[in-house]
Amino acid sequence: MVGRATMLEKHRAATLGGRPRLAMLTLAALIRVAGAFPFLISAVGVARADQATTSAHTQSKPDLRGPESLILGKDVSAPISLRATGEAMTLYASVGTISDPVSSHGRLTATYTPPTTRFPQVAIIAAATSDRSQVDFITIALIGQPTIRIASEPRAVVHVGVGDEKFGPLELNRKGLGTIQVIVPPGVDSATIYSADHLGNESQEPHELGIPPFQQLLALCPEGGETFLVIATDARGRALRNANVELEAEFGMLSAIRMKTPGVYLANFTVADDATSVGDVLLTASLPSAGPASTVHCRAQVPREDPSGLEITTARDRFLAGSDAPVEVLIKLAYAGKSPPRGARPILSVDTGELSRLKQVSPSLYWVQWTLPNHFAGRSQAKFHAVLEDLGVRGDSTLMLVAAPIARVAMSGDGSRLVANPDRSASIVIAAFDDFENPVATDTVHLTASAGRVGPPQTQAHRTTARYRPPLRHSPSQDTITARAESGAQASISLQLDPMPRPLLTNARLGYATNFGTISTMAFAVDAMYRLPIGSRAMAIGLESGYLSSSERRMGEDGLEEFDLELAAVPLVARVLFDLGTVPGPIYAGGGVGMLFARASIASGRTGMRSENATSLALSGFVGARRRLGRGHIVFEAAYWHCRFDEEGLAGNIGGLRITGGYGFDL
């Protein structure tokens, strides 16, 4: 039931919550502030019923026993024992260590190991319950064995006096030098060297031993109650009465200090009762009369306040691509400020970039560097997140990502060819990028065309769209559209402008016509077409005329007599033409309707010469192709005609297939 307590270390008092709170009370003050704060709660809560505080004089003391002294460097350990009272007790030592105790014959025995240092000092050994209602202590004189170097007359005989003891004799060498080991108890810091030379002359002189000061206090922080207990001795290990012991607490309040028994001093330590978690507070005890070495520390478990929020501050609110400088980020834990703050380490994450190792600047402030990439991968902002997972507390910050100046301009169009007609248009798309391929706003990019016109531009996000309209051209040409940024970056694309047909189209053609029966002859055609101002003038209307003649000898119907037939025909047809495309020149097709004027002359030996004139409705359908040649164009056309006569000499269809070719002009 007795635990181990290692050597108490000295710690630096910290400032928590941004405001140090100190309480310093001495016996000289003797102010009973405890009576002014009757409702303050213990530093670690109310003790359990089975560990209720009982005054020391109503309990049997632990009867702590141990050696009066140990010689450092010789005695490596010593037994410590105390009475087993049935209460849970802990052993403490101001210097050195104490092992886990074992029970034997109604007593508890532990092993004390002195420190490795060799200078004389006092070890304070204490046994106490967690509520400090029972406490006992002993002191062990840790005796040093320093070696003294002596310089005097050659061959002189010397003795060294330490307190009431003398060590020697020692005969010095012929140079008057020698060393002697002495035993020095704590509290003695000088010796006397007695010397006698070979002539009998005697002398004595003081010698400072150079013993460093040592701590003369043992501080026990509250564990199961409110009591802060301090044991104070003098340099020889004797309990101090009415010592000027000073106490400090970095947070909370300390009552007036009071002496329980000689050498044992108590004070009540309290903090506010609305804290949300448990932490610790540094308590300090000092004995000014014993010097700085007699300042000791311990930490008391007290209620602590959890962080209620996270405040994230970035060194700048935007990151410029190419700047390469990491962004410094501060993460501050926010507290309500009612109790000592409990530290917490935030977990950090970012949606892009990398974070350096998190550094703690103060108990409530952390620092980290955020390294961002120069290529933003389409992002316009970067997000920083911090979270205290156990508490569900979050904090976020957003950093704007700004692209570098325009280094490259990209252009595209919805085609590489366009008819040179101002009524036609093509879409031009512009995008701009910096050196790291981040898209950049295109509002500083200007569009120009060498011949046509561009605009007005429409900018959305990081893209600009504009309509290009070509100039009117009747011959093949090319236009260049250029996008130029203020930074000097530029790009251009070229459009092939196909000629806009002139409004009047004329052709003269010569070819061959057949009705797959009685007529197979040469045919001549001429037409004049007017292109309608619709779109790119792909539709035209006009008239076609021509001439064909046929002469042949036929057998009469009775099969007894032959006759000569001469046929001449002149069509006059209204046509509609549609341009279909360019493979490799303009392809067109259309149809016509009109009249065919025909004259037939029949000569035979029996009936002589006779002639017949007839007129009939003529229908045609055609397909053709044109290709520019010189100042005009060559043309080929295939047509089918339908023209039926019912007269005696002209019975039947004198239409049929007509294939012609020729040359024409656009006027």
Side-chain angles (χ1 to χ4, degrees):
M1 297 175 64
V2 179
R4 176 195 291 179
T6 60
M7 184 177 70
L8 299 176
E9 299 177 352
K10 296 184 179 182
H11 297 281
R12 178 175 59 86
T15 299
L16 298 180
R19 297 179 300 170
R21 299 188 180 183
L22 302 177
M24 181 181 294
L25 300 168
T26 65
L27 277 174
L30 294 178
I31 301 174
R32 293 287 184 174
V33 298
F37 303 91
F39 301 105
L40 293 176
I41 305 300
S42 157
V44 292
V46 180
R48 297 196 304 265
D50 59 348
Q51 295 179 347
T53 302
T54 308
S55 299
H57 67 272
T58 63
Q59 297 278 342
S60 58
K61 295 185 67 173
D63 186 23
L64 188 62
R65 299 178 187 177
E68 292 184 358
S69 64
L70 294 174
I71 298 177
L72 296 173
K74 178 181 178 182
D75 299 324
V76 296
S77 64
I80 303 294
S81 69
L82 70 157
R83 179 184 295 114
T85 62
E87 294 286 338
M89 304 192 72
T90 304
L91 291 173
Y92 303 88
S94 60
V95 292
T97 59
I98 300 179
S99 68
D100 292 329
V102 295
S103 177
S104 177
H105 304 293
R107 293 188 68 83
L108 298 173
T109 303
T111 299
Y112 171 72
T113 301
T116 57
T117 55
R118 292 292 183 262
F119 63 87
Q121 55 190 304
V122 173
I124 303 173
I125 310 298
T129 55
S130 60
D131 61 1
R132 310 305 185 224
S133 61
Q134 294 188 51
V135 62
D136 195 7
F137 78 95
I138 60 174
T139 59
I140 300 176
L142 302 179
I143 299 172
Q145 300 184 82
T147 297
I148 300 176
R149 295 181 179 273
I150 301 174
S152 187
E153 296 295 326
R155 302 301 181 184
V157 176
V158 298
H159 294 77
V160 178
V162 179
D164 297 332
E165 299 291 332
K166 269 191 177 183
F167 301 89
L170 170 68
E171 182 178 351
L172 303 182
N173 61 21
R174 60 185 179 181
K175 294 182 179 181
L177 302 176
T179 59
I180 186 171
Q181 188 177 53
V182 298
I183 295 177
V184 181
V188 177
D189 54 10
S190 64
T192 302
I193 298 177
Y194 301 94
S195 176
D197 61 17
H198 65 283
L199 298 177
N201 298 317
E202 296 182 354
S203 64
Q204 67 179 45
E205 61 181 14
H207 178 79
E208 293 296 328
L209 296 174
I211 306 298
F214 58 88
Q215 68 181 48
Q216 297 169 212
L217 296 177
L218 174 62
L220 307 183
C221 273
E223 292 182 1
E226 301 178 355
T227 303
F228 181 24
L229 186 147
V230 179
I231 299 173
T233 69
D234 62 13
R236 296 181 180 273
R238 295 171 297 194
L240 289 178
R241 292 176 175 270
N242 302 325
N244 186 27
V245 178
E246 296 181 352
L247 305 181
E248 295 181 7
E250 65 177 352
F251 202 97
M253 292 170 288
L254 285 166
S255 69
I257 192 170
R258 60 192 184 277
M259 186 178 75
K260 179 177 182 179
T261 59
V264 179
Y265 298 87
L266 306 175
N268 290 334
F269 170 67
T270 54
V271 295
D273 60 356
D274 56 355
T276 59
S277 60
V278 175
D280 54 46
V281 169
L282 184 71
L283 301 182
T284 303
S286 61
L287 187 63
S289 60
S294 285
T295 297
V296 294
H297 309 277
C298 63
R299 289 191 173 272
Q301 293 293 308
V302 298
R304 291 271 180 159
E305 179 182 307
D306 287 329
S308 58
L310 286 171
E311 299 175 3
I312 300 174
T313 305
T314 55
R316 53 185 187 271
D317 60 358
R318 59 184 58 207
F319 175 79
L320 177 64
S323 62
D324 294 331
V327 178
E328 295 186 357
V329 184
L330 291 177
I331 305 97
K332 184 178 181 182
L333 309 183
Y335 297 89
K338 297 180 179 180
S339 304
R342 183 178 74 88
R345 191 175 183 87
I347 297 175
L348 309 181
S349 62
V350 292
D351 63 351
T352 182
E354 296 179 351
L355 296 174
S356 67
R357 184 176 180 180
L358 184 64
K359 295 182 179 180
Q360 187 171 11
V361 180
S362 69
S364 62
L365 187 65
Y366 291 86
W367 174 92
V368 72
Q369 282 188 327
W370 185 6
T371 302
L372 289 144
N374 290 319
H375 178 61
F376 301 150
R379 293 184 176 88
S380 61
Q381 59 185 14
K383 294 184 179 180
F384 183 99
H385 308 281
V387 62
L388 302 176
E389 287 188 336
D390 295 341
L391 305 176
V393 176
R394 295 182 58 87
D396 303 284
S397 182
T398 300
L399 194 68
M400 299 303 298
L401 301 178
V402 180
I406 295 175
R408 182 175 69 87
V409 177
M411 295 181 65
S412 62
D414 56 5
S416 60
R417 305 181 69 94
L418 188 65
V419 176
N421 181 0
D423 294 332
R424 291 288 186 93
S425 66
S427 177
I428 305 297
V429 179
I430 307 153
F433 303 89
D434 63 10
D435 282 327
F436 311 100
E437 291 302 308
N438 295 310
V440 185
T442 54
D443 50 359
T444 61
V445 179
H446 304 286
L447 282 171
T448 58
S450 58
R453 57 189 179 90
V454 181
Q458 295 181 345
T459 300
Q460 184 176 9
H462 298 292
R463 291 162 57 95
T464 293
T465 303
R467 303 299 300 183
Y468 164 78
R469 296 189 181 277
L472 178 62
R473 293 286 189 270
H474 298 297
S475 60
S477 62
Q478 183 173 289
D479 199 0
T480 300
I481 302 99
T482 302
R484 183 177 290 104
E486 293 180 355
S487 63
Q490 67 178 38
S492 61
I493 60 173
S494 295
L495 288 179
Q496 184 65 40
L497 300 181
D498 294 327
M500 175 70 176
R502 294 179 184 274
L504 186 60
L505 174 67
T506 63
N507 296 298
R509 305 184 307 277
L510 183 64
Y512 178 78
T514 180
N515 69 347
F516 305 104
T518 60
I519 300 175
S520 294
T521 185
M522 298 294 292
F524 172 76
V526 62
D527 63 57
M529 306 292 294
Y530 177 76
R531 297 184 182 277
L532 298 177
I534 300 174
S536 60
R537 298 181 178 176
M539 179 179 178
I541 60 174
L543 295 174
E544 180 187 26
S545 185
Y547 177 78
L548 65 87
S549 66
S550 174
S551 177
E552 59 181 323
R553 189 173 182 81
R554 292 186 181 182
M555 181 66 70
E557 293 181 359
D558 56 5
L560 300 176
E561 183 181 15
E562 293 183 345
F563 63 91
D564 293 323
L565 174 63
E566 292 184 2
L567 177 66
V570 176
L572 183 61
V573 178
R575 303 208 314 171
V576 179
L577 175 150
F578 298 92
D579 282 335
L580 302 180
T582 56
V583 189
I587 303 297
Y588 64 89
V593 60
M595 302 299 293
L596 181 69
F597 302 96
R599 178 182 177 83
S601 298
I602 303 172
S604 67
R606 186 166 58 92
T607 61
M609 174 69 95
R610 63 185 178 88
S611 297
E612 293 184 11
N613 295 318
T615 302
S616 178
L617 178 68
L619 302 173
S620 69
F622 56 88
V623 60
R626 293 185 303 275
R627 186 173 181 84
R628 181 165 294 278
L629 179 64
R631 300 184 62 181
H633 57 264
I634 58 175
V635 60
F636 297 93
E637 182 177 298
Y640 183 81
W641 288 70
H642 180 78
C643 181
R644 188 170 187 83
F645 287 88
D646 293 326
E647 284 76 4
E648 180 181 354
L650 293 172
N653 180 19
I654 66 171
L657 178 65
R658 185 180 66 183
I659 299 176
T660 58
Y663 194 79
F665 294 92
D666 289 339
L667 302 176

